Amino acid sequence: MSFGLRIPGDGTGLASSTSTDQVTQLNRSEWGLGDKTKRRPREFILSPSTGTVRAMAEMHIQLTFCSNTVQDYNLALVLDVQSVGEEVLALPIKARCVVPDVVLKNPYLQFQHCFLGHPYEQSFELINDSDLPACYGLLPQPYEEDPALLYSSPHARGVIQPYSTEQIPVVLQAKTVGSLQETAHIAILGRQDPPLELLLSCVGQGPSVSVTAAKLNFGCIPVLTDVTRTFQLSNDSPIPARFFAQMLYSTMKFKAINGVKPSNAGLI
């Protein structure tokens, strides 16, 4: 008996994606399921879908279902027999696809004071209280030419097991001084509602530089004689500090020492 198996009502688009695909393939940008602007994905895989059963024999058929559509399924697996007819037999298929309700425990992360360009890390919690695993993803930050804040995560995508909590780290970098805020979005695969929102906040600040002495006293010095005093700049921050020193409102005369101008700019 030569046969063919099919499921009328299955999608005609690309094969449906698994949570593993969504987590490991970083080029995937779609998180909502059942996009009406595209053809529905093929969600059933028959192995084999065609073949020949020898006389007085049997054959095992494997049916794999990966839903990408939030809905109730009421379909049938039908059997076509060559030279006999179509839909000779029908096996009902019933299923229901749902998305776990994932909760963001704290929608606000305060990083306090952050030195410019220095990475700071904190974590937020996603809670899955359902009996199904959930696939999450911290969406990439929208492109800006000169962003005030940059954020990312070394574990931006993953799967939260049933009745468990996942700690997701966020790395933040301030790019300008002042009070800064940015909203990050966390998508749950299949969730029809807007992504979860996480508010990131910090105060950007430049390097902390101190001087060993607030005053340089040259005392009584003879005219037309070079007298040198030194002072030290200290950078007490985890980022480099560029400095430029100059005299303000000075009536004194200065000249080069040994033909070399004193250094008044640099990096510490």
Side-chain angles (χ1 to χ4, degrees):
M1 182 187 71
S2 295
F3 69 91
L5 296 170
R6 56 190 173 88
I7 301 176
D10 190 14
T12 59
L14 299 176
S16 58
S17 61
T18 66
S19 58
T20 302
D21 294 335
Q22 192 72 29
V23 169
T24 58
Q25 298 180 19
L26 299 181
N27 60 335
R28 288 183 175 270
S29 59
E30 297 178 357
W31 286 87
L33 301 183
D35 189 348
K36 296 181 180 179
T37 63
K38 296 183 178 180
R39 290 189 302 170
R40 279 187 50 219
R42 290 180 288 107
E43 301 173 310
F44 294 90
I45 299 176
L46 284 160
S47 180
S49 60
T50 60
T52 300
V53 184
R54 293 177 300 171
M56 305 302 294
E58 61 181 25
M59 179 181 293
H60 292 279
I61 307 295
Q62 178 175 288
L63 175 62
T64 302
F65 175 44
C66 178
S67 177
N68 275 191
T69 309
V70 179
Q71 66 172 23
D72 291 327
Y73 290 80
N74 188 11
L75 303 174
L77 168 64
V78 299
L79 170 68
D80 301 329
V81 179
Q82 184 177 338
S83 302
V84 176
E86 294 185 350
E87 301 187 13
V88 176
L89 294 175
L91 178 66
I93 297 176
K94 293 185 180 294
R96 183 179 179 222
C97 176
V98 298
V99 178
D101 187 17
V102 176
V103 178
L104 181 61
K105 183 176 182 180
N106 184 7
Y108 181 66
L109 284 183
Q110 171 59 264
F111 283 78
Q112 303 298 337
H113 291 271
C114 298
F115 288 103
L116 299 183
H118 189 72
Y120 294 85
E121 182 176 307
Q122 288 193 40
S123 296
F124 64 92
E125 289 186 355
L126 290 177
I127 303 174
N128 180 12
D129 282 334
S130 71
D131 57 356
L132 296 172
C135 181
Y136 73 87
L138 176 66
L139 299 182
Q141 182 175 0
Y143 173 78
E144 293 183 46
E145 188 172 347
D146 294 309
L149 277 178
L150 287 178
Y151 66 85
S152 61
S153 174
H155 304 291
R157 300 184 178 193
V159 176
I160 312 174
Q161 298 303 321
Y163 302 109
S164 64
T165 300
E166 192 77 14
Q167 297 270 354
I168 296 97
V170 175
V171 179
L172 187 76
Q173 289 188 41
K175 292 298 182 180
T176 186
V177 297
S179 179
L180 308 173
Q181 286 188 343
E182 188 71 40
T183 300
H185 294 90
I186 302 103
I188 306 299
L189 184 61
R191 181 185 172 102
Q192 302 298 310
D193 297 331
L196 303 173
E197 292 188 348
L198 175 66
L199 183 62
L200 307 173
S201 176
C202 76
V203 177
Q205 68 176 64
S208 176
V209 178
S210 59
V211 185
T212 54
K215 181 178 180 181
L216 289 179
N217 187 359
F218 283 79
C220 295
I221 59 174
V223 297
L224 303 179
T225 302
D226 293 331
V227 178
T228 302
R229 294 288 186 271
T230 61
F231 65 95
Q232 180 176 319
L233 293 178
S234 297
N235 182 4
D236 303 322
S237 58
I239 59 174
R242 295 187 178 275
F243 69 88
F244 178 78
Q246 61 181 352
M247 299 299 299
L248 298 178
Y249 313 113
S250 174
T251 58
M252 298 182 181
K253 303 300 181 182
F254 295 87
K255 68 175 183 178
I257 300 176
N258 297 328
V260 181
K261 292 184 178 180
S263 174
N264 65 340
L267 182 71
I268 55 174

